[in-house]
Amino acid sequence: MRTFYTLVMVDPDAPSPSAPNLMEYLHWLVTDIPGTTGAAFGQEVTCYEPPRPTIGIHRFVLVLFQQLGRQTVYAPGWRQNFNTRDFAQLYNLGPPVAAVYFNCQREAGSGGRRMYP
């Protein structure tokens, strides 16, 4: 039997680290990733949205779960207020098998005057 994985990427600091009232903000959700092939395979349930923090330093967390088998996963109706723990429980994913995070902040000098076409 082949092993499949689910990948979840969230920003727990949205919209700002001092007032994270949208936590967790879902940036990416991929299911049915085979353990025997490249990461390009799998079912993208929620398309990738790149990090674009507007204020402060945000943590972006990627969590990998092992699935019990192939399964149908439905895209959440929204990205804000996503809950990774509730999602894992709903789809019987169990504890994460891997996790990593990185910090990201707005690029310096991106404010000020802007030219519009």
Side-chain angles (χ1 to χ4, degrees):
M1 181 170 167
R2 293 175 61 182
T3 304
F4 294 95
Y5 296 92
T6 294
L7 177 68
V8 177
M9 178 180 171
V10 294
D11 175 1
D13 299 321
S16 77
S18 61
N21 59 7
L22 297 180
M23 63 182 228
E24 303 166 21
Y25 187 87
L26 179 64
H27 278 266
W28 200 21
L29 177 57
V30 183
T31 63
D32 295 333
I33 303 168
T36 57
T37 60
F41 294 90
Q43 178 67 37
E44 189 175 52
V45 176
T46 302
C47 64
Y48 176 74
E49 183 178 314
R52 290 190 189 111
T54 55
I55 189 167
I57 298 172
H58 290 241
R59 297 166 294 162
F60 289 87
V61 182
L62 291 113
V63 183
L64 188 69
F65 297 96
Q66 184 175 344
Q67 297 173 201
L68 295 177
R70 291 190 94 158
Q71 59 187 0
T72 301
V73 174
Y74 297 99
W78 56 89
R79 289 180 183 259
Q80 65 264 9
N81 295 315
F82 182 80
N83 188 304
T84 303
R85 185 172 290 167
D86 289 350
F87 172 80
Q89 185 176 5
L90 176 66
Y91 290 102
N92 199 27
L93 296 175
V97 294
V100 67
Y101 81 95
F102 62 92
N103 292 328
C104 184
Q105 70 184 52
R106 186 175 180 176
E107 188 175 335
S110 60
R113 292 175 51 160
R114 297 178 188 233
M115 300 294 284
Y116 295 101

